[in-house]
Amino acid sequence: MRDVLDRLLTWWQAGESVAVGTVVATFDSAPRPPGAVMLVGPGLEAVGSVSGGCVEGAVYQLGEEILSSGEPVLQRYGVSDESAFAVGLTCGGIIDVFVEKVDRESFPELGEVAADIAAGRPVAVATVVAHPDPARIGRRLVVRPASAPGAEQASAVLASGGLGSDRADDAVVDDARGLLANGRSETLEYGPDGQRRGEGMRVFVSSFAPVPRMLVFGAIDFAAAVARLGSFLGYRVTVCDARAVFATASRFPFADEVIVDWPHRYLTGEAEAGRIDDRTVVCVLTHDPKFDVPLLEVALRLPQVAYIGAMGSRRTHDDRLKRLREAGLSEAELARLASPIGLDLGARTPEETAVSIAAEIIAQRWGGAGQRLSAAAGPIHH
């Protein structure tokens, strides 16, 4: 949704109607994740993608029909048996796409949601995509964290009358906040009235959490390459170094911010301010004990962090572990450290090393083995 939000908002503000196709569930090796969006605009323009090209034509045609009828549709693509609909995915896998008409009347809160996303405030949109009662399909809730201003007084901002009952609203708000805390988008299933143990009502929760952070410590040429790749992967990148002569914005044009501070002090401050979460990745590239040992003492004791990697040779790594043990870190804490940093790609240059670091981060995030796909069997996506 982030990729197409500006275009959608422009049409919405102009009072136009837009067909919005959203991937709400995937199976096997689906090419796009839940939350991927394609728009069919008022002039029949196509914006975005739900499958990387496999079923865009079919979704576009469905979007045209829904702009006329106004009736939302949940469509499955990729099934090959006799009950299949429309087309299959040439790359394999199955996707469920929910296509609906969005305008000021059907989604009056879109402007507020867009403002939250632009400001980096977490927000989730929960939409009924299947229900025994057709009148309840397309109803939605806009859900914010319990700690958000005003959330204590109103558990959610309701759109289109909520999901049809207080029971359903309460159940979905609780679950949506859990997904939002983890930055996950997912389809949930309930009984028709929101019963926890039941089926019939499917609700897609599209979560818009703040962009995950990549903290790069050490203002060296390798850090510039890592910052560039981190930005490409969608992280908000911070480069930090205590040496002002090296930590300059001109040397790190792809970083969102460059901080001059002692690394351990900066990380401590960010953690205390609540700006470190379980999606944050930490790359320690200083390979200098006076910087990286105090920094790793802080990083390895953080309760929530996605990845901690440290650059250095095997000898540097052994010396670093010795110093960290002397500082009182446990073996369980040390086991969280990826060092030497990155996957074994035979990298030499800063750019190649950045690719190896990014590959390790991706593999750890999704459970990849880091081996060649041609040498493995089974599904490509874990």
Side-chain angles (χ1 to χ4, degrees), residues 111-125:
E112 297 174 4
V113 171
D116 283 337
I117 295 171
R121 295 187 294 265
V123 62
V125 179

Side-chain angles (χ1 to χ4, degrees), residues 46-347:
V47 180
S49 171
V50 293
S51 71
C54 299
V55 300
E56 258 64 30
V59 174
Y60 178 85
Q61 183 177 1
L62 185 56
E64 284 186 278
E65 297 171 3
I66 287 170
L67 279 176
S68 299
S69 70
E71 298 297 324
V73 173
L74 178 63
Q75 187 72 287
R76 174 163 291 185
Y77 299 98
V79 182
S80 58
D81 62 28
E82 61 184 14
S83 65
F85 297 105
V87 299
L89 294 172
T90 59
C91 55
I94 300 168
I95 60 173
D96 286 349
V97 180
F98 182 70
V99 187
E100 60 180 326
K101 184 170 78 171
V102 168
D103 53 27
R104 282 184 171 272
E105 182 179 355
S106 65
F107 196 175
E109 288 78 13
L110 179 61
E112 297 174 4
V113 171
D116 283 337
I117 295 171
R121 295 187 294 265
V123 62
V125 179
T127 306
V128 178
V129 299
H131 198 282
D133 180 0
R136 293 175 67 172
I137 298 175
R139 293 192 176 191
R140 76 184 98 241
L141 289 168
V142 178
V143 183
R144 295 180 174 85
S147 59
E152 296 80 2
Q153 290 74 35
S155 63
V157 178
L158 304 184
S160 304
L163 303 184
S165 73
D166 290 342
R167 180 176 184 175
D169 292 346
D170 290 343
V172 172
V173 166
D174 286 344
D175 293 341
R177 283 179 174 162
L179 291 173
L180 184 58
N182 292 307
R184 291 167 48 207
S185 296
E186 189 174 306
T187 293
L188 307 174
E189 186 151 10
Y190 306 87
D193 198 38
Q195 298 93 330
R196 292 288 185 178
R197 296 183 178 180
E199 58 184 24
M201 181 172 75
R202 296 176 64 193
V203 179
F204 178 66
V205 179
S206 184
S207 296
F208 302 96
V211 175
R213 300 187 67 189
M214 173 181 281
L215 306 181
V216 182
F217 294 98
I220 61 176
D221 51 355
F222 287 92
V226 170
R228 180 174 186 175
L229 203 52
S231 178
F232 174 74
L233 292 176
Y235 288 96
R236 176 175 176 80
V237 180
T238 299
V239 175
C240 176
D241 197 300
R243 302 165 296 180
V245 66
F246 297 117
T248 63
S250 61
R251 294 190 68 229
F252 301 96
F254 291 95
D256 294 281
E257 57 183 354
V258 180
I259 304 295
V260 179
D261 199 352
W262 279 87
H264 71 282
R265 184 168 61 192
Y266 174 73
L267 184 59
T268 298
E270 292 300 285
E272 291 175 349
R275 291 189 285 267
I276 306 296
D277 62 26
D278 57 7
R279 299 175 301 145
T280 303
V281 301
V282 176
C283 299
V284 180
L285 309 183
T286 49
H287 51 82
D288 182 334
K290 70 175 178 289
F291 291 119
D292 61 17
V293 171
L295 170 60
L296 288 170
E297 285 186 58
V298 176
L300 293 172
R301 286 173 170 149
L302 291 174
Q304 292 184 323
V305 65
Y307 171 88
I308 304 168
M311 177 177 281
S313 66
R314 301 278 182 196
R315 180 179 298 177
T316 299
H317 169 69
D318 291 340
D319 177 69
R320 182 187 292 134
L321 289 182
K322 178 183 176 182
R323 292 171 184 267
L324 290 171
R325 288 189 179 100
E326 291 172 350
L329 271 78
S330 68
E331 294 304 314
E333 290 168 333
L334 293 176
R336 302 175 67 195
L337 176 62
S339 173
I341 196 171
L343 295 186
D344 181 8
L345 305 183

